[in-house]
Amino acid sequence: MVLRLDKFLKVSRLIKRRTLAKEVAGQGRITINGNNAKASSVVSVGDELVIRFGQKVVTLEVTSLQEAAQKGEAETLYRVIHEEKVD
């Protein structure tokens, strides 16, 4: 199974709305396995995502893919590898 990046970010609740996920990807603030990602980029299990949220950079690994997830399940879709504050 594969998902678009914007859909994965919404389902995993890393970013609340799909339109906002598209915007963040469009600004070049997300990479998948070291490559700049677009909202339409495909995400697979095992991929490493690096997302820049304002003053924070989060590196995570995709552990599972689902079309939809309840609030409690959302955190099981990824594993945070590294999180750092950036000035």
Side-chain angles (χ1 to χ4, degrees):
M1 177 184 210
V2 292
L3 279 182
R4 285 173 49 114
L5 175 62
D6 55 349
K7 172 97 173 172
F8 173 77
L9 293 172
K10 179 191 178 297
V11 170
S12 64
R13 290 176 169 72
L14 286 163
I15 296 180
K16 291 195 188 294
R17 291 185 315 282
R18 197 163 171 178
T19 53
L20 185 57
K22 287 180 184 180
E23 199 175 292
V24 171
Q27 294 170 351
R29 294 177 13 196
I30 303 174
T31 62
I32 299 176
N33 299 324
N35 301 313
N36 277 341
K38 294 189 289 188
S40 61
S41 298
V42 173
V43 177
S44 305
V45 173
D47 282 353
E48 182 178 282
L49 302 181
V50 178
I51 307 171
R52 206 171 79 237
F53 294 104
Q55 304 299 314
K56 186 168 68 167
V57 175
V58 180
T59 304
L60 50 96
E61 177 187 359
V62 178
T63 56
S64 177
L65 294 175
Q66 294 179 13
E67 284 288 329
Q70 293 180 351
K71 195 171 188 177
E73 298 175 321
E75 290 182 9
T76 65
L77 301 179
Y78 62 92
R79 178 177 64 89
V80 175
I81 298 170
H82 185 65
E83 194 172 318
E84 64 180 305
K85 289 205 179 280
V86 180
D87 295 328

